[in-house]
Amino acid sequence: MTGTALALVELGAILFVLGSFGRLAGRFGMSPIPLYLIGGLAFGQGGFIQLSAANEFGHIAGEIGVVLLLLLLGLEYTAPELMTGLRRSWPAGLLDIVANATPGVIVALILGWGAVGAVTMGGVTYISSSGIVAKVLNDLGRLGNRETPVILSILVFEDLAMAVYLPILTTILAGLSFASGAKSLAIALTAITVVLVVALRYGRYVSAIVDSSDNEVFLLKLLGAALLVAGVASALNVSAAVGAFLLGIAISGSTAHEAAKLLEPLRDLFAAIFFVAFGLTTDPRAIPPVLGWAVALAVVTMLTKMGTGWWAASRQGIRPMGRARAGAALVARGEFSIVIAGLAVTMGGVDGQLAALASAYVLLMAVLGPIAARVVEPVVGLVQRRVKPAAVTP
């Protein structure tokens, strides 16, 4: 069998299995991300079936998946919404960073991964999965709940924090000197500021450039612009993901709505390949030695996320049940955590076991997040029913 034929067979097998995994996850009302990661672990080095011919395509498709994930995330927000969310949520956002990044930093230092590993693991444990959170809120019919704006404002803060964090991480991983690192970070922050200003004042012109009444032309221009901006951003050590996110913010109005509709199927396809590609680079035999740490991180950061959501909702005068729902909704980790770990592994700046720990951690949190969101109401209701009778007992 020729190399091309083998690559096509392997790629076809991977996509078919991914589709089966996605259908299985849908039946149980869970995110397919854990199953995609497991698929990558099964097909990669040390897995049950080692597929190598499709690796090159998987790597490029995975990079496109990251760009599309961040582009669509940017399309969900307008610049005014981002600024309003930032003003409303910054105290909870700062608590979120400290409470949820610290466990990852501590574990990385204990394992001897140094400052670079600590910065990477801090990001992995910090940020919630916007995709999983949004899906869970929609599935459970909670989009109109009073605590939902609190949840969304924290997610907005996290997304903006990523726009600053990723360039810093890229600079550290590249091993640049302090002067070069400061220059790279200054470029990144300047780019973020310029894009926000452009989006606030001239967003309609950016939208007009990529817009088209022909879906084929619209898709080509949009995807081309996203890859072009991501490539330029990557060349400036700003991070391709941040470049795509900023482009999404700059596109607004009906153009953003139509772009999201067109790109969503592509995003889901390439994002699935991205998770598989990350799994392919992780040796499953490296997971057992760090599984205990992954479980410990899962337990601690589940509690810290719930505490963050509870506190943020209490500041808005929301009742205990709403506070509990807000905390549980934020538990899930997913695409961003893998993007961070994948960036670190690709650039070769971290210990090889970090990918294994990140995989095990995300597998746990992507499963626990939706479960926590579903069971929080009956659990809190049971506690309240038991506490009230005790409170009125003479």
Side-chain angles (χ1 to χ4, degrees), residues 37 40-41 273-282 337-339 341-343 345 354-356 358-359:
L37 285 172
L41 292 170
I273 296 174
F274 163 69
F275 292 118
V276 172
F278 182 80
L280 290 172
T281 64
T282 305
S337 298
I338 296 299
V339 167
L343 179 63
V345 171
L354 189 145
S359 294

Side-chain angles (χ1 to χ4, degrees), residues 77 133-134 137 143 147-157 330:
Y77 303 119
V133 172
L137 291 176
L143 291 176
E147 75 275 0
T148 298
V150 175
I151 298 169
L152 296 178
S153 65
I154 292 176
L155 294 177
V156 169
F157 188 95
L330 293 169

Side-chain angles (χ1 to χ4, degrees), residues 64-76 210-211 215-227 244-245 247-249 251 254-272:
I64 296 174
V66 174
V67 169
L68 291 177
L69 277 170
L70 273 293
L71 174 62
L72 264 83
L73 183 64
L75 289 171
E76 291 179 9
V210 298
D211 197 9
N215 284 346
E216 180 182 347
V217 173
F218 187 22
L219 185 58
L220 288 171
K221 289 170 70 175
L222 188 62
L223 188 56
L227 295 176
F245 177 65
L247 176 63
I249 294 172
I251 299 172
S254 60
T255 304
H257 179 69
E258 291 301 318
K261 284 171 54 179
L262 279 176
L263 287 175
E264 192 170 337
L266 278 178
R267 186 271 313 271
D268 293 342
L269 170 63
F270 282 100

